[in-house]
């Protein structure tokens, strides 16, 4: 029951039966309810409040405004922290904000006995504003004379960075004889995570601390940010994270926990619950950044990439959130996946507007970057008349690669095999031949895209993780991990890792699913596809220490040298003969209850890493396109992943399914829309077109298992990679089916019909 | 803010404001409610149930009977466990019992949506019994032909033990010329703990475990007993202990948690709450054993004790509970407190009857033993015409003593100083002179008693304790102790110990008050006055390891040798110059967030002890006795304690106050009464005469601080000692005031009037 077994999720029964307890289930019976009062303009300043009507609502306990809260700015993103000030996140939020920068900004909070009273009072709060112009488009907010979101920047640009590899320039490289230059502009839309459970937390005071129970991916970071936001020592905050109903990066941000923590501190420590509605979640938490990405490639006619230039603009919305990191990531992929012989030139810019704030979302900029890059690569291959697969095989990353920007190295790569598997599955050559003739209303295409993704955040940022293992009297163990189960199944993977290294069966391993910052080992937590790779190594290392301690005790009991013993199948076994010498249970009982030398065996350790490695994969897709109605039907799709050794193949497959679904929505239908006043138009699950099961094709998944030398069990990232490639693969299939390059997402019917009209394959009046 | 400071309790604010959460506060909103159906006879066998009416009650979910539960016998007492089968506790209970041995025995359980439905259904369960004779008195249950509580014993005697020191006999010793032999029979009554919060727990299933949240002193033992009772691996049980509203030993027994754990397992893991009423708590949990203690002493005329013989009979009630351990304790005190030159002969017998089962209660047999011993010592002193103080000073334990029965050694003793302090406080010589003339209806007396008590259970049983300390980013720490706060204030003492050894301020120490057996270090928990002495040593040892780790990290940061550094006032300080080099906060931040070598500093260790030591003290009391109404008024009372170094003098004093109050009730008013059918007559707080504040005199407290070499900070036991001496001190004062020896507790008006009539100091018809 160790590595490589498709064991059932450890939380399957709980979650299927509804027994599993989530944050709201755990809220005290008598918790007060807080509701945030939101600005009804997207850019401006609060002049005053009129609370007279709101305060009359029966059940209202207290209303707090932006004038009441501590005037402390704090950062919200889920980064571990840096002791280097220049690497710390931007502090630009207060608990409640007088200067509003998005529609729906947090300006006051009503605390009431129940939700109905709180909602009613929130609606009755009257606000007088000073209004500023509203910018939804980056070109407008960057225009001369635009009102600045933050006075401390000279323009509405959070940050602009450049990368250029030394001693080379695109223009020089492009001068080479017979070189072909291909250009493209690719843009992606605003989408939202749409996790099932909205952000919810409750806070109360106990034991000299403010306790926050929250549906978060990052309990230890929530602790830190609450401390910062309230201006109190971080140790005075305790954060507990129960089961959570998804996050996808939106809960890698500390949004309302600090407000909630402060509210309870103002109300004598009474429990206060703050749960967002779906509508609030859509527009007032975080979204995936809309990006505009220009790519320009110099390529030889034989397909050798020579130089590439790219310019990225990312619509950050109102606040810095994760800052420039996401557009940096979208930029880095442009130099990682392919090897250009000579020059790489890059410019990246994060632009403030007044739409919903962009933040972390599964893929962290790479879905946008990969859409641009992989669309562009097909454009390049098309231009030089080369098969897209052959073109990619000629140029993609090879083992030993090291990114010149981040230093992230490639320690293992199964990309070529992924491409081969996908090519075979989709019957590439046969289908490309069959679909070459583009005629009729219904056309067909096959397309593909490849991707890579790093396995953690090192060496760009801190990678550290701790684990504690505790022996029980029956020989079973608890494993305490700071890295969080957020629906991805990591607790099951940890169970298998522990079973593997400890030599005990998986049913004797209890991974503590709830994190409690007071007692749970430190770990920045669930993001960046790092848990199995980094925290998994902490687990393995701690398990090895635990085994040493167990064998030392066994050695005393058995009077045999430690190095002749091992743990196998829940027993101490003679390494040489294989004889079973002692059960773990008997050993544990003696350890606990020895009258001469009792010892409660536990192990705890920290793993610090400055290394990293890449995961890879390819997506192949076959589509049918109904030209007149602009409707793409995905007939077949496969993701083939190299994520190193699979800890649990069935869970790996499920993880890929989820990512593919997300990527399909990103490619085909999802888009959060705003009007000219930056008011969200479709922030609900009826009007926002998240794919349903009816919209989703059968999803095929395959793997190429490399053994990565830096992964604890040869494993690499798999959390985010599945969400990367569907959109460009479909776009490329569409290009093949129609000859039309759709460089803008989503590829929904309205957009496709416009493109087909422009391309003349349907008449402008809608006829054929 | 370390050792010896009267800092405010760490939980004071929480408890005073009502913010502190107890078990019932934490029960889920939708918890089902279980009520125990109880036998209406005290001795017999269930023949059948008729559930037809009970099951019709709306809201009833399910009714379980003794015929449904696993047929597994399990032990209930809170002892850690022994790997030696002969030292394991008696397994004589099942979750529900067909063979009933007390009135109110657990025979079925109703689970319903709410308490009202459950109570109603419980009343409607009809039971057919086979009835046996009922025994409330030991002489009846021990009589030939009595029906046995348990077939496996030949008589209604759980155990009988003898002790005799080698090569000597009482009769031989008593043959010495001029020896005086004094005899007495002393008996004590059944009393109950009367903790504020009745036993309450709720259980549910989560993460593959049965979780029991319980108001218990002994979470790790509850885990073990639940595992045994349900026949499942112990690791499959998780026990959580929140704040508790007192226990005094009654929650050192695993009474209803196993039933509750089993109920949830039968109901799909839904939460089930089981809370006892006050009436149930009084009679159907545990009580202090009524004991009959015969003492016979051979003494020289100069006051030198020569030999003593004692015979103890303890009324165990229906079940074994803590077994013979409590009467053994009551016996051991008879050879510990005084040094008899020659022979000690002892016989101890634990007798089954059908009254409420005796179990652990503060003092664990010693209040009974001390009442007998200290009453007897006054009788002996009186007989030889010696001042009771001089007599005691001549004979009491001296440093270096080692109990011949248990091997428990005396490492420090301040008893003589305690006696001197008390004697001076009460103005002994002056008052004894003043009150020597016994005339009139209102008379006066001064009396005293001394006591000793061990500081843990070693070497008789296992003493082991673990602790974990976790560093926070702000330089504060969590301290995780397996030993429980049960109202005694140990979390505050631990805070001070940690502050002392860590060199950080007490407000930077957070002792985790809630125990959770999945993650809390192992410790048998709160009983036997062991927490500050044993678990405190685990804390000190772990804190020293923690300091080493911190200094090792500081040494790297500062590039200075470890041994030149220490932690003081939350900073790393140069040991020689006293210069402050680095704050704990800066050190912690670097440890957490170092980009090259992060490490999350924690420490964890187990302390195993086979040593022990004695605490001592003396009680002095001045009383007024109203002869015609038999009413004793305590005019003045002082306890002077040698408990070694005081961790927190104010808390120590509060601890003594509580114990004195308990001892006064034991001496003067409390008694749980049964009728001939063993039905409790006064199992409520109206009819059971617990002293109220109106009944309680001012309580004076003083200390003699010895420095015990085996205590972590020179400290010794203080948990139980305060409850020991008031009763005999009052009895001796009454003897002095009236010349009447009242050898039976409680000394309530009814009993005193009877004694005074018998002694002829009031007329038999009530006149004078």
């Amino acid at each position: 029951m160790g590595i490589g077994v498709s064991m059932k999720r450890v939380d399957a029964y709980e979650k299927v039966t509804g027994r599993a307890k989530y944050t709201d289930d755990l809220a005290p019976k008598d918790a007060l309810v807080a509701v945030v009062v939101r600005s009804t303009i997207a850019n401006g300043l609060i002049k005053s409040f009129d609370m007279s009507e709101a305060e009359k609502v029966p059940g209202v306990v207290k209303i707090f405004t932006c004038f009441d809260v501590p005037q402390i700015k704090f950062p919200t993103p889920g980064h571990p922290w840096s002791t280097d000030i220049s690497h710390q996140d931007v502090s630009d939020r207060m608990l409640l904000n007088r200067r509003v920068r998005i529609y729906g900004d947090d300006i006051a909070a009503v605390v009431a006995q129940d939700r109905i009273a709180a909602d009613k009072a929130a609606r009755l709060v009257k606000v007088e504003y000073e209004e500023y112009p509203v910018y939804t488009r980056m070109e407008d907010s960057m225009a001369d004379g635009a009102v600045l979101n933050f006075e401390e920047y000279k323009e509405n640009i959070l940050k602009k960075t450049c990368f250029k590899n030394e001693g080379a320039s695109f223009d020089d490289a492009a001068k080479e004889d017979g070189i072909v230059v291909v250009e493209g502009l690719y843009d992606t839309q605003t989408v939202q995570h749409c996790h099932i459970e909205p952000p919810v937390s409750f806070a109360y005071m106990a034991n000299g601390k403010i306790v926050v129970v929250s549906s978060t991916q990052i309990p230890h970071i929530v602790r830190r940010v609450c401390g910062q936001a309230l201006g109190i020592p971080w140790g005075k905050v305790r954060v507990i994270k129960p089961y959570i109903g998804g996050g996808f990066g939106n809960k890698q941000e500390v949004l309302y926990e600090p407000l909630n923590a402060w509210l309870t501190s103002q109300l004598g420590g009474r429990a206060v619950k703050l749960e967002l509605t779906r509508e609030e979640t859509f527009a007032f938490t975080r979204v995936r950044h809309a990006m505009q990405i220009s790519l320009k490639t110099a390529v030889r006619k034989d397909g050798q990439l020579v130089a590439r230039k790219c310019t990225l603009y990312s619509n950050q919305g109102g606040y810095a959130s994760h800052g420039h990191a996401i557009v940096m990531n979208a930029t880095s992929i442009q130099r990682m996946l392919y090897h250009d012989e000579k020059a790489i030139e890059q410019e990246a810019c994060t632009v403030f507007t007044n739409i919903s704030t962009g933040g972390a979302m599964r893929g962290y900029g790479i879905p946008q970057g990969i859409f641009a890059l992989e669309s562009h690569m097909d454009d390049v291959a098309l231009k030089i008349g080369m098969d897209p697969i052959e073109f990619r095989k000629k140029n993609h990353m090879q083992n030993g690669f090291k990114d010149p920007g981040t230093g992230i190295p490639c320690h293992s790569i199964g990309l070529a095999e992924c491409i081969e598997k996908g090519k075979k599955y989709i019957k590439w050559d046969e289908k490309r031949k069959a679909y070459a003739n583009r005629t009729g209303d219904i056309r067909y295409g096959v397309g593909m895209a490849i991707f890579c993704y790093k396995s953690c955040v090192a060496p760009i940022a801190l990678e550290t993780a701790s684990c504690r293992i505790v022996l029980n009297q029956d020989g079973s163990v608890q494993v305490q991990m700071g890295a969080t189960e957020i629906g991805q199944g990591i607790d099951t993977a940890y169970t298998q890792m522990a079973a593997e290294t400890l030599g005990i069966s998986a049913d004797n391993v209890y991974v503590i699913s709830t994190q409690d910052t007071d007692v749970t080992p430190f770990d920045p937590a669930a993001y960046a596809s790092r848990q199995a790779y980094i925290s998994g190594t902490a687990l393995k290392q701690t398990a090895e220490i635990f085994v040493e301690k167990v064998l030392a005790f066994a050695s005393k009991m058995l009077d045999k040298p430690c190095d002749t013993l091992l743990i196998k199948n829940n027993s101490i076994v003679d390494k040489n003969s294989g004889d079973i010498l002692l059960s773990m249970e008997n050993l544990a009982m003696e350890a606990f209850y020895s009258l001469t030398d009792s010892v409660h065996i536990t192990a705890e350790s920290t793993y610090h890493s400055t290394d990293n490695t890449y995961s890879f994969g390819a997506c192949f897709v076959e589509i049918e396109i109904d030209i007149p109605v602009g409707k793409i039907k995905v007939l077949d799709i496969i993701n083939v992943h190299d994520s190193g050794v699979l800890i649990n193949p069935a869970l790996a497959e499920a993880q890929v399914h989820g990512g593919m679904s997300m990527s399909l929505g990103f490619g085909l239908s999802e888009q959060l829309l705003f009007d000219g006043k930056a008011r969200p138009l479709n922030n609900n699950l009826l009007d926002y077109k998240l794919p349903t099961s009816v919209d989703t094709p059968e999803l095929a998944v395959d793997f190429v298992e490399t053994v990565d030398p830096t992964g604890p069990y040869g494993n690499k990232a798999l959390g985010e990679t599945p969400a990367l490639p569907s959109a460009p693969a479909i776009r490329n299939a569409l290009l093949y089916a129609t000859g039309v390059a759709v460089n803008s997402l989503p590829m929904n019917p309205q957009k496709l019909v416009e493109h087909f009209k422009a391309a003349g394959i349907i008449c402008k009046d809608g006829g054929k």
Side-chain angles (χ1 to χ4, degrees), chain A residues 176-229:
Chain A
E176 190 182 305
D177 253 9
I179 215 87
V180 178
V181 172
V182 184
E183 283 189 69
L185 172 64
Y186 309 88
D187 72 78
T188 66
Q189 79 282 33
T190 300
V191 296
Q192 219 270 335
H193 317 68
C194 297
H195 37 79
I196 293 179
E197 182 196 35
V200 53
S201 62
F202 62 91
Y204 57 94
M205 292 176 74
N207 300 99
K209 301 200 180 200
I210 300 177
V211 186
V212 182
V213 181
S214 177
S215 174
T216 179
Q217 300 174 217
I218 47 167
H220 276 285
I221 295 174
V222 172
R223 167 185 242 189
R224 185 253 297 168
V225 177
C226 286
Q228 292 180 281

Side-chain angles (χ1 to χ4, degrees), chain A residues 702-718:
Chain A
D702 204 349
F703 293 95
V704 171
E705 290 194 67
T706 55
V707 181
D708 193 274
T710 64
Y713 300 92
N715 55 299
K716 307 191 283 188
L718 183 58

Side-chain angles (χ1 to χ4, degrees), chain A residues 135-425:
Chain A
Y135 311 113
T136 62
R137 305 190 316 162
M138 295 189 274
E139 47 269 44
D140 297 335
S141 72
M142 286 191 292
D144 282 350
V147 173
L148 297 177
N149 272 18
F150 298 94
E151 291 301 325
E152 49 269 50
Y153 303 97
K154 283 167 295 180
E155 43 188 348
N156 271 323
I157 291 176
L158 170 60
K159 199 164 182 183
K160 194 174 206 161
T161 49
C162 298
F163 174 84
K164 197 163 184 260
N165 52 358
E166 261 178 71
S169 85
F170 183 90
D171 291 341
D172 287 348
K175 282 175 192 158
E176 190 182 305
D177 253 9
I179 215 87
V180 178
V181 172
V182 184
E183 283 189 69
L185 172 64
Y186 309 88
D187 72 78
T188 66
Q189 79 282 33
T190 300
V191 296
Q192 219 270 335
H193 317 68
C194 297
H195 37 79
I196 293 179
E197 182 196 35
V200 53
S201 62
F202 62 91
Y204 57 94
M205 292 176 74
N207 300 99
K209 301 200 180 200
I210 300 177
V211 186
V212 182
V213 181
S214 177
S215 174
T216 179
Q217 300 174 217
I218 47 167
H220 276 285
I221 295 174
V222 172
R223 167 185 242 189
R224 185 253 297 168
V225 177
C226 286
Q228 292 180 281
L230 274 65
I232 58 175
W234 303 357
K236 289 211 171 294
V237 182
R238 175 182 168 209
V239 177
I240 296 170
K241 180 235 154 246
Y243 279 133
I244 100 172
F248 304 119
N250 203 27
K251 293 176 186 166
Q252 192 206 336
E253 187 108 4
V254 186
L255 292 169
Y256 289 99
E257 293 94 341
L259 175 61
N260 213 354
W262 183 75
L263 291 173
T264 189
S265 77
Q266 300 303 301
L267 296 164
R270 277 196 67 180
V272 178
K273 187 174 80 170
L274 202 165
E275 183 172 18
L276 263 53
T277 62
R278 176 62 59 190
E279 289 71 17
E280 290 176 294
T281 306
F282 254 110
F284 313 137
T285 59
R286 293 294 175 257
V287 297
R288 193 192 288 289
H289 300 74
M291 290 192 191
Q292 292 173 0
I293 306 179
S294 306
L295 292 172
K296 191 173 174 183
T297 293
V299 61
R300 294 196 190 107
K301 282 188 178 142
D302 67 355
Q304 177 62 52
L305 286 169
V306 173
R308 208 142 19 108
K309 199 168 178 173
C310 78
T311 313
L312 290 93
Y313 284 87
S314 176
N315 191 334
Q316 182 55 48
Y319 291 92
S321 176
H322 280 246
H324 197 53
I326 291 167
V327 75
M328 289 284 277
N329 222 31
T331 310
S332 72
I333 192 70
Q334 313 297 333
R335 59 176 191 261
M336 285 169 172
L337 188 54
Y338 294 96
H339 172 64
D340 294 78
E341 223 173 44
K342 295 187 171 167
I344 292 279
E345 287 183 30
Q346 301 183 317
E347 200 176 286
C349 190
T350 297
V351 182
F352 287 121
T353 65
N354 301 114
I355 67 164
S356 301
T357 301
M361 183 173 168
R362 198 180 193 180
Y364 208 75
I366 306 294
Q368 300 100 307
I370 281 285
F371 175 68
L373 179 60
E374 284 299 279
S375 297
H376 186 62
M377 287 296 122
D378 253 44
D379 292 349
V380 173
L382 181 64
K383 188 72 174 275
I384 59 170
M386 200 166 171
D387 176 77
I389 293 178
E390 294 311 311
F391 171 69
R392 285 178 170 88
K393 281 163 74 174
K394 191 175 181 87
N395 289 287
H396 72 62
M397 190 199 295
Q398 299 297 323
N399 209 349
F401 168 86
K402 191 170 184 178
D403 172 46
T406 60
I408 296 173
C410 173
H411 292 297
S412 63
I413 182 164
L415 180 53
E417 295 86 342
C418 289
I419 294 172
E420 281 311 309
K421 276 197 171 181
K423 183 182 174 184
K424 193 173 167 194
Y425 173 85

Side-chain angles (χ1 to χ4, degrees), chain A residues 22 51 153 223 225 236 241 285 433 470 477 577 653 711 717:
Chain A
Y22 294 78
M51 300 296 186
Y153 303 97
R223 167 185 242 189
V225 177
K236 289 211 171 294
K241 180 235 154 246
T285 59
K433 208 167 173 182
V470 178
V477 297
S577 69
E653 189 176 339

Side-chain angles (χ1 to χ4, degrees), chain A residues 208 260 632 757:
Chain A
N260 213 354
I632 291 170
K757 281 182 184 172

